Amino acid sequence: MKFQAIKGVRDILPPDSALWNRVEQTAREIFGTFGFAEVRLPIFEQVELFARSIGEDTDVVSKEMYSFEDHDLLEFEQVRSALMMTSLAADDLLGFQAYERNVLTFVAKLSESFKRGEVPRTPENEKIIRRIPEIFEQMNRTRRTHIESQFSFYEEAFAGCLTGVKTALQSYRFGDRLGLRPEATASVVRAYIEHGMQTLPGNVKLYYMGPMFRRERPQKGRYRQFYQIGAEVLGTSDAPGIDAEVIEMLMTLFERLKLKGAILNINSIGDKNCRPAYVEKLRAELQKVREQLGADSQRRIETNPLRVLDSKLEHEQAIVAKLPRIGENLCDECRAHYAEVKRQLDLRGIQYQENWRLVRGLDYYMRTTFEITAPGLGSQNAVCGGGRYDGLVELLGGPAATKGIGFAIGTDRLILSLQEAGEGATQTGLDVYLAWFGAAAQTAAIGLAKRLRGAGFVVELPAVEMKFGKSLGLADRLKARHAVIIGDDELAAGVVTVKRLADGSQQKLGEPQLFEYLRAGF
Ligand code: ATP
Ligand code: MG
């Protein structure tokens, strides 16, 4: 059997990995100068955390999450599957009675396990334990009353009972529902609350980097395991200067990485005072043009009308252009906040485009939202998304006054864009290929390799002896800058032969001269 990486995930190999390291290292440096510190987070959390923060109705949570039940009750799982697969005929009374016994024995075991706290003690689980015996009781009552007189009625009740029992068994949870994280803001906020970070002085400024998981349709710039570099500011202030500084930090990073053609789009999507009224207004207008919209947008009229503004469908563009705009429906506070964000960006000399259609796919955003696009990415051209999420800390059970703002860079896309623009990997480069011939030369070569590496040179030392031609051929193919050769002659004379592979020029040098020579060519 030949194994392959799973659809939508990929390996990042050298020399690309060098560019990844450079991007991540640069982010650490720049973010550090803005007073941000790294937080390392788990890659899985309770599904409930994501559902609550990102939103139950978002694609990310409802369709794209990788989730599983975390437990070690394998035996329970097996008994449940067996009970789930049992089929019974309505006239098979003995079979039915045996099934009832088996299910009730199983439920008794579940109940004990529930009491011992081995399975999650949720109200749902408790309800199921109570419900199953009730279904059987009801079933038996029906049987006693109807079995002779109305067989067809009995048949129906029988089927209903079986389905009821199986559904209940199926929804019993043996363990916590965990999910691979589709993004990290929820985890940052969870950690902030869990560790009581609101008591820390000033704003809490954190950054993270790592893989995220979404079961999307894979294409260029869209993967099922992708990477994000993100940062968050949490604290009691929602001053627009914070928004602007977070964006300044981002733009500084992109500039340092020489990302060309990045465009910053900004918008304000209001808050809980003004957005609900706008959403209703939008919904009402969308109802009027319902028939002209595609299936996705039609569905979103009910679930999330703001997302219709995000439509990329050609035929919907003219319709969207005529919809009411959030900018004209902001409350005074949101309008003032947005105006000040723009002034603060101007103070920092940051150019932006206002984009009234910019809404984000996650429920927790409010007021300032922004997105940065970059060239060379086709339709997946957003390299970074972010915004304010002032209510999120409270929503997840933290202190009500806490405000938040952050962003997430799509590292894969950032790197694709850099590569398209020719800002590819810097050659790591092998400085020295150390060819040795004979046992005594190997001893000398091991020592020399150690001293060269200690001085920072990249050295390749063959592990076994090779023929001269083969060894120097390998040095060529590895694109070494120099071959340093040690054989009997060199040992006798206390020198090495150094050959510059670009032009073949060679000379014999003592060790101090060798170091000098290599440093000069650095
Ligand atoms: P998009 O509109 O492109 O789907 P998004 O709004 O879902 O992006 P966010 O959840 O805001 O994205 O995540 C921030 C950034 O993470 C995006 O701008 C993008 O660069 C990157 N990103 C999101 N999903 C993926 C993915 N499946 N593969 C690669 N990068 C992604
Ligand atoms: Mg998306």
Side-chain angles (χ1 to χ4, degrees):
M1 176 166 181
K2 227 163 126 193
F3 292 106
Q4 281 188 318
I6 289 153
K7 186 178 173 199
V9 316
R10 62 208 182 111
D11 304 303
I12 293 156
L13 307 173
D16 291 353
S17 49
L19 179 56
W20 279 76
N21 286 337
R22 180 156 71 82
V23 165
E24 289 175 351
Q25 184 52 31
T26 310
R28 290 178 198 284
E29 281 164 22
I30 304 277
F31 295 178
T33 63
F34 281 79
F36 283 68
E38 183 172 9
V39 55
R40 298 201 180 201
L41 302 158
I43 60 166
F44 55 97
E45 300 264 6
Q46 289 191 33
V47 164
E48 188 56 25
L49 173 69
F50 300 121
R52 197 87 76 78
S53 53
I54 300 168
E56 199 94 54
D57 287 333
T58 56
D59 287 353
V60 171
V61 169
S62 67
K63 291 194 217 143
E64 300 168 359
M65 186 125 70
Y66 287 99
S67 60
F68 60 98
E69 233 174 281
D70 183 34
H71 67 84
D72 55 8
L73 304 170
L74 219 65
E75 234 170 279
F76 276 5
E77 194 74 75
Q78 281 162 357
V79 176
R80 169 159 74 179
S81 322
L83 293 172
M84 297 288 301
M85 285 184 326
T86 307
S87 59
L88 280 171
D91 56 1
D92 181 4
L93 184 59
L94 287 179
F96 177 75
Q97 284 169 338
Y99 185 68
E100 178 179 10
R101 260 196 317 279
N102 290 340
V103 173
L104 292 181
T105 311
F106 182 57
V107 168
K109 282 206 184 121
L110 286 183
S111 171
E112 282 161 26
S113 184
F114 181 89
K115 282 187 200 128
R116 283 197 301 267
E118 289 165 3
V119 299
R121 299 175 76 143
T122 60
E124 291 77 23
N125 275 355
E126 196 177 8
K127 206 168 109 195
I128 291 166
I129 292 173
R130 271 188 281 114
R131 179 77 191 122
I132 292 179
E134 282 169 14
I135 299 178
F136 279 111
E137 251 169 57
Q138 202 183 343
M139 171 66 203
N140 283 317
R141 265 200 309 278
T142 313
R143 181 158 53 83
R144 279 194 293 274
T145 351
H146 292 290
I147 187 151
E148 277 102 30
S149 52
Q150 283 169 289
F151 191 76
S152 72
F153 181 81
Y154 171 66
E155 228 173 341
E156 212 172 275
F158 181 89
C161 164
L162 211 55
T163 315
V165 168
K166 288 183 177 177
T167 313
L169 285 174
Q170 181 66 54
S171 41
Y172 195 85
R173 293 251 164 261
F174 295 141
D176 285 330
R177 270 184 74 214
L178 305 184
L180 296 188
R181 63 182 188 190
E183 57 103 58
T185 302
S187 301
V188 173
V189 172
R190 197 253 320 125
Y192 176 87
I193 298 169
E194 189 172 334
H195 302 287
M197 287 193 242
Q198 72 274 9
T199 59
L200 297 173
N203 289 323
V204 172
K205 302 196 270 187
L206 299 169
Y207 72 85
Y208 61 82
M209 45 187 76
M212 308 293 157
F213 306 86
R214 296 183 195 177
R215 199 175 187 291
E216 303 194 77
R217 195 166 71 78
Q219 47 194 300
K220 182 183 175 192
R222 196 177 291 287
Y223 311 102
R224 291 181 170 182
Q225 174 174 337
F226 62 100
Y227 294 78
Q228 286 185 338
I229 300 174
E232 317 284 352
V233 182
L234 292 145
T236 47
S237 168
D238 62 358
I242 299 175
D243 307 37
E245 195 178 73
V246 161
I247 293 174
E248 180 185 1
M249 179 167 93
L250 252 174
M251 300 318 270
T252 308
L253 171 63
F254 288 162
E255 210 170 287
R256 180 73 64 88
L257 290 171
K258 302 200 181 71
L259 179 73
K260 306 237 165 53
I263 296 170
L264 168 65
N265 282 275
I266 61 166
N267 192 21
S268 173
I269 55 170
D271 64 5
K272 59 180 187 300
N273 297 318
C274 51
R275 191 165 46 186
Y278 169 71
V279 169
E280 278 323 306
K281 200 166 172 180
L282 186 62
R283 187 175 272 140
E285 287 307 307
L286 285 169
Q287 289 293 8
K288 294 182 196 160
V289 292
R290 181 179 204 103
E291 296 312 311
Q292 300 160 48
L293 297 170
D296 275 344
S297 292
Q298 288 202 6
R299 188 167 40 82
R300 287 180 176 142
I301 299 178
E302 273 80 41
T303 58
N304 194 347
L306 281 177
R307 289 293 279 173
V308 178
L309 302 181
D310 211 19
S311 162
K312 308 268 184 319
L313 293 180
E314 197 59 48
H315 82 276
E316 290 184 347
Q317 300 309 308
I319 306 167
V320 172
K322 285 190 232 116
L323 291 170
R325 305 189 169 199
I326 179 84
E328 287 145 22
N329 290 274
L330 293 176
C331 59
D332 291 345
E333 289 77 14
C334 285
R335 192 186 309 277
H337 190 274
Y338 186 38
E340 183 60 15
V341 169
K342 288 185 277 185
R343 200 182 73 87
Q344 289 284 335
L345 287 172
D346 293 338
L347 285 178
R348 290 166 171 79
I350 295 168
Q351 303 203 334
Y352 54 83
Q353 286 181 1
E354 287 186 72
N355 179 355
W356 70 275
R357 288 177 52 176
L358 179 66
V359 293
R360 310 297 338 279
L362 316 178
D363 280 1
Y364 52 64
Y365 283 114
M366 60 168 298
R367 287 196 172 164
T368 314
T369 54
F370 56 93
E371 192 168 274
I372 294 163
T373 59
L377 295 170
S379 52
Q380 273 66 248
N381 65 351
V383 284
C384 175
R388 218 167 236 296
Y389 48 83
D390 292 344
L392 185 57
V393 173
E394 185 181 9
L395 183 73
L396 296 180
T402 315
K403 313 286 200 291
I405 181 165
F407 62 77
I409 299 168
T411 319
D412 308 74
R413 293 187 196 173
L414 171 58
I415 281 173
L416 272 174
S417 184
L418 288 170
Q419 286 171 332
E420 294 279 332
E423 290 291 332
T426 39
Q427 275 295 325
T428 43
L430 182 56
D431 298 311
V432 171
Y433 179 92
L434 222 175
W436 53 270
F437 305 96
Q442 183 180 25
T443 311
I446 289 170
L448 179 58
K450 190 170 182 172
R451 291 187 292 278
L452 284 168
R453 287 173 179 148
F457 294 110
V458 182
V459 177
E460 177 73 15
L461 178 70
V464 293
E465 185 165 359
M466 284 190 268
K467 292 244 163 60
F468 187 86
K470 206 171 160 206
S471 199
L472 273 276
L474 181 57
D476 256 330
R477 281 186 289 135
L478 290 174
K479 298 197 171 67
R481 273 189 278 280
H482 305 93
V484 169
I485 300 157
I486 310 180
D488 290 341
D489 293 352
E490 283 83 2
L491 279 180
V495 292
V496 297
T497 300
V498 53
K499 179 174 176 184
R500 192 160 61 203
L501 293 174
D503 57 10
S505 63
Q506 70 179 59
Q507 50 191 311
K508 288 195 160 43
L509 298 174
E511 191 166 317
Q513 290 75 37
L514 171 70
F515 275 72
E516 247 168 63
Y517 173 81
L518 292 174
R519 274 203 196 93
F522 231 169

